Amino acid sequence: MTAQALPYGPAFGLGILLPVTAVLLVALVIAAQRAGSVAGAFVVVALWMRYTAGAYHLYMFQPIAGGLSGNALLSIGVTGFGLLFVVRPANLALKWLLPVYALVGLALFSAALNGDAAGGINVAVKYAYMIVIMIAVFQALRSDPDARFLSWAMVSFLPLLVFQALSLALNLPKGSEDGDGLVWIGGYNHEAAFSVAMMTGFLVGCFAKSAPRAVRVAFLLATLIGILLAGYRTTILAFAPLALAAFLSGLTLSVRRDQRASMAVTAMVAGVLLVSVAALSYSASFADLAAFLADPAGLIKPPRDFDLLERQVMSGRPLIWSSYIYAWAAGTPLQHLFGLGPESWEGVFKVYPHNTLIATLYELGWFGVAAMIALWTVMFAAAASAHGERFKLLAAHFAFFLLNMATMPFWQVEGLALYGLLCGYTIYAARAAPRPRRPRSADARRPLPARP
């Protein structure tokens, strides 16, 4: 094994990556063959390829062709294949996709307005990737209502779990983002993308209802521990509602129907205790978050007004947010409406905005923020009307919203895969919900007069 120094941390050498990948590939082939449909197999393979590529970041981050990195080419290839051979054209007209199309249109318009066509194309490709995952999940569920393909999709996350275990066994940690400890992310580039991918795994485990109970519980525990070992506070905080919902629903549904009311009360008490213990355990890590929430307006101010201590709060996020907000405010009135262009922060700021709404405001203006909120609202409403998994779906969408408040899953392919999978399941569950019957009119209920 070779450990190579990067700004982020060490990575596995090919002496470990290649043989481990070969073993994981065997499991992938079996899972893809048993996924039950082309769409299901596509989801399994697409996720596995992305998570495996993350362990090869020393190579996949390098330009390979046309100035594009290996990761970019992989995402384009997956998107193109999905559009050509998996997605049914009729499903591109699903009404739930309208806010996504609005975001794509705004990105292209803002890019043209600011003279940066490349930025608009990059964002359009990212959203296309999310749409492909979303529709593939939807199609797989339509042919497999029991979601058996999600049981096999758990295999897609073995690269994350195996490489993280190897980093523990071989003592290959990475310094945390805050510089106050070590995290274990299996030789991946950064804990943000790694932990979001792990959160996707937990989401898959939550809805893999056809998997054997022991396998499912073990997988959920493994991904939960994996998220904690990755140590990314934003994901840990955002993950909490989904983990709590899985715990409460799991306990409640584990007993007979006539015992579920009492078990629900017991589960709620146990959940409160677990949340209390977690809050005490992470109180030091989230102390600055509490300070920010006590007076958020006090830390959104011109960047030059931040003192040394304020620059350290929440890993500098208030400073980052303020920098973007004030840079957007300095733009033209037209840029206030349509932004300074997608991905226009690159080359201007050292770090990305760490908040989806602030990033959208800077890149796409007020219209972009409205479109993003519309997307979240539409999907949350779909989850509220879902059939069978409403509680966990609502918790998952709330968790994703929290994730967007301190990082940018829409900028990461891992985050796009997470939201695409969640929305695909949500759309299917919303369409599967029984529709209320319209009451017949009084005239319709009145019996016909007897014939003379």
Side-chain angles (χ1 to χ4, degrees), residues 112-243:
L113 186 68
N114 291 280
D116 181 22
I121 294 172
N122 288 341
V123 170
V125 171
K126 287 182 178 180
Y127 281 120
Y129 179 93
M130 184 180 76
I131 290 171
V132 165
I133 295 294
M134 191 185 306
I135 296 179
V137 170
F138 171 74
Q139 289 180 188
L141 288 168
R142 293 199 72 180
S143 60
D144 176 19
D146 293 329
R148 286 186 294 270
F149 86 98
L150 287 180
S151 302
W152 294 106
M154 292 191 290
V155 171
S156 303
F157 301 88
L158 287 181
L160 300 170
L161 296 170
V162 170
F163 283 122
Q164 186 182 51
L166 283 174
S167 69
L168 284 165
L170 300 172
N171 192 29
L172 194 69
K174 170 193 174 296
S176 67
E177 182 188 42
D178 305 322
D180 58 357
L182 299 176
V183 296
W184 307 88
I185 56 174
Y188 281 66
N189 187 54
H190 194 271
E191 55 264 38
F194 182 87
S195 61
V196 168
M198 277 288 195
M199 186 171 169
T200 310
F202 190 89
L203 178 72
V204 167
C206 285
F207 295 110
K209 52 192 176 184
S210 66
R213 181 184 295 271
V215 172
R216 188 181 178 192
V217 171
F219 180 78
L220 289 172
L221 286 175
T223 50
L224 186 151
I225 294 170
I227 290 171
L228 298 179
L229 288 174
Y232 194 63
R233 293 184 301 177
T234 300
T235 306
I236 292 173
L237 179 63
F239 167 74
L242 178 59

Side-chain angles (χ1 to χ4, degrees), residues 376-395:
W376 292 344
T377 303
V378 165
M379 291 303 172
F380 194 85
S385 66
H387 176 64
E389 302 281 1
R390 185 179 306 165
F391 181 52
K392 285 190 290 187
L393 281 173
L394 289 173

Side-chain angles (χ1 to χ4, degrees), residues 395-432:
H397 281 279
F398 181 62
F400 185 78
F401 170 78
L402 290 179
L403 193 65
N404 280 272
M405 293 301 100
T407 191
M408 286 170 55
F410 282 97
W411 184 66
Q412 308 162 350
V413 175
E414 290 80 4
L416 294 169
L418 166 60
Y419 200 51
L421 194 148
L422 173 59
C423 291
Y425 198 104
T426 301
I427 292 171
Y428 170 77
R431 285 176 61 101

